[in-house]
């Protein structure tokens, strides 16, 4: 039952290949072969990319919600909604991201994430805990009354679910929590933090790598006498920087600076999107707080930025335009890099023989998603959706 994607520009980690066909059978990629000389009659099904970019399915490691649903919603339908809608943005795998709530509610959210792994749609790889182990001074859109001291007993029952924890290293009493995370293959991500350059470097001294949660946002900035988290992130090769490239959270020039300093391998593109993503302007919600969405901006009542409403395909395009990166590099920042860090690059993250057929086909002009496959199954088709 061989199937094929034809007439597309196939984006590999280090190149763009034209004049080739991507073959897949069942849930796996079987080969990428030259179109010339290949008999299409060998295939039972053909997808015509019509000159679009054929890319690995995007992996979003930091997303709260979209389409009116949020990870913290107290029902099973919310995650199912997110999973069903994300393929429209080219996302085939993601980490539902929790907020700084009270312990019982966070634990209920982690339990729902565990159960939702079996759902149809975008694949859940685990959870990203954004708080509650953060700084009150840099809480951003997180609710201060729920901020807590780092305690691994919160995490231990969910070590199979939690993949990333955002925390403020300066709030840790010692390095025990960091050691526990390392022992359980949980990535520590520095964010919502007032840490100094020295505190970051000290805490992460023995880490093989660590993340920076939404680089530049909710953290100590770069100053010539106080380099802060931004300085540590730019200089330490072990720091992998999340970037929200909606052109609101991070200025295009600041995006280019990170690219110049970190290169392809040190950046992970994210959306940090809210339930308001893919919805019209109006009143929304995040972490139990009112959010007002207008002209592409989502803010709390006091004007604080409250996450983004950007979709991943737009984030990748924005970074490509702003940074000067090549297309394979920009795509790798939303596929290869998160897959490697999360330990799943042997299965997903690139278009290679033997890997899962998680594939998005993007329009070559504006990057809107035309079709998305997850494990070889066509789960989104723009033409079919428009016809409904």
């Amino acid at each position: 039952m061989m199937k094929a994607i034809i007439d597309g520009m196939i984006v590999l980690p280090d190149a763009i290949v034209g004049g080739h066909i991507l073959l897949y059978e069942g849930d796996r990629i079987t080969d990428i072969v030259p179109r010339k000389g290949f008999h299409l009659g060998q295939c039972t099904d053909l997808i015509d990319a019509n000159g679009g970019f054929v890319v690995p399915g995007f992996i979003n490691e930091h997303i709260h919600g979209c389409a009116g649903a949020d990870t913290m919603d107290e029902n099973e339908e919310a995650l199912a909604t997110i999973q069903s809608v994300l393929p429209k943005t080219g996302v085939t795998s993601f980490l539902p991201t929790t907020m700084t709530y009270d312990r019982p509610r966070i634990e209920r959210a982690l339990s729902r994430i565990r159960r939702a792994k079996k759902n149809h749609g975008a694949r859940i790889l685990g959870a990203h805990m954004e708080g509650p182990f953060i700084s009150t001074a840099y809480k951003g859109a997180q609710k201060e009354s729920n901020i807590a001291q780092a305690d691994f007993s919160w995490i231990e029952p969910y070590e199979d679910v939690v993949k990333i924890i955002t925390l403020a290293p300066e709030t840790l009493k010692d390095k025990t929590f960091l050691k526990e995370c390392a022992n359980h293959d949980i990535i520590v991500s520095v964010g919502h933090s007032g840490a100094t350059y020295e505190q970051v470097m000290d805490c992460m001294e023995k880490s093989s790598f660590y993340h920076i949660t939404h680089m530049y946002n909710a953290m100590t900035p770069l100053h010539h006498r106080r380099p802060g988290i931004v300085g540590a992130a730019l200089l330490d090769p072990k720091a992998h920087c999340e970037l929200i490239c909606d052109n609101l959270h991070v200025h295009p020039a600041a995006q280019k600076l990170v690219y110049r300093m970190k290169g392809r391998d040190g950046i992970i593109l994210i959306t940090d999107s809210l339930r308001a993503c893919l919805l019209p302007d109006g009143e929304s919600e995040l972490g139990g707080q009112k959010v007002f969405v207008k002209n592409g901006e989502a803010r709390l009542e006091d004007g604080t930025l409250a996450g983004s409403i950007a979709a991943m395909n737009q984030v990748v395009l924005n970074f490509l335009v702003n940074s000067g990166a090549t297309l394979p590099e920009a795509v790798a920042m939303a596929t290869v890099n998160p897959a490697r860090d999360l330990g799943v690059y042997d299965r997903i993250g690139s278009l290679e023989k033997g890997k899962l057929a998680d594939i998005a086909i993007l329009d070559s002009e504006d990057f809107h998603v035309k079709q998305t496959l997850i494990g070889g199954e066509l789960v989104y088709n723009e033409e079919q959706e428009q016809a409904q």
Side-chain angles (χ1 to χ4, degrees), residues 92-259:
T92 56
S93 298
F94 71 111
L95 297 184
T97 303
T98 61
M99 288 283 293
T100 296
Y101 271 90
D102 59 273
R103 179 171 178 170
R105 186 156 181 182
I106 292 173
E107 290 177 336
R108 291 195 297 273
L110 294 175
S111 294
R112 288 193 299 272
I113 291 168
R114 177 188 281 144
R115 293 192 295 271
K117 284 186 174 185
K118 69 181 187 301
N119 290 351
H120 189 72
R123 185 181 296 107
I124 289 178
L125 301 176
H128 179 161
M129 284 183 65
E130 189 179 13
F133 314 135
I134 59 174
S135 163
T136 58
Y138 287 86
K139 65 184 186 298
Q142 310 264 7
K143 197 169 182 179
E144 184 170 340
S145 61
N146 290 322
I147 292 173
Q149 181 66 44
D151 179 355
F152 200 79
S153 70
W154 280 50
I155 317 303
E156 201 159 16
Y158 304 96
E159 61 179 280
D160 60 315
V161 180
V162 178
K163 301 301 179 185
I164 301 176
I165 298 178
T166 291
L167 56 78
E170 76 278 11
T171 67
L172 300 178
K173 293 179 179 179
D174 53 44
K175 296 183 182 180
T176 303
F177 187 85
L178 299 177
K179 292 176 182 176
E180 290 285 359
C181 288
N183 291 339
H184 292 84
D185 294 323
I186 296 171
I187 297 168
V188 171
S189 192
V190 177
H192 290 280
S193 168
T196 64
Y197 172 88
E198 290 78 13
Q199 286 172 324
V200 174
M201 299 303 285
D202 177 63
C203 278
M204 302 305 165
E205 178 187 8
K206 295 184 179 179
S207 299
S208 56
F209 69 92
Y210 60 95
H211 284 195
I212 303 295
T213 297
H214 43 54
M215 175 72 165
Y216 294 116
N217 300 111
M219 64 182 57
T220 47
L222 179 66
H223 184 279
H224 60 287
R225 286 191 293 272
R226 297 179 297 278
I229 296 171
V230 172
L234 293 177
L235 289 174
D236 190 348
K238 297 178 299 194
H240 298 176
C241 302
E242 291 184 354
L243 268 181
I244 309 171
C245 296
D246 60 355
N247 292 344
L248 174 64
H249 282 75
V250 182
H251 189 281
Q255 296 175 34
K256 182 182 290 187
L257 174 62
V258 179
Y259 172 63

Side-chain angles (χ1 to χ4, degrees), residues 47 56 61 81 85 97 105 126 133 140 223 286 301 332-333 350:
I47 293 177
E61 72 168 37
T81 295
V85 171
T97 303
R105 186 156 181 182
F133 314 135
H223 184 279
L286 178 69
E301 289 183 279
M333 294 172 192
S350 62

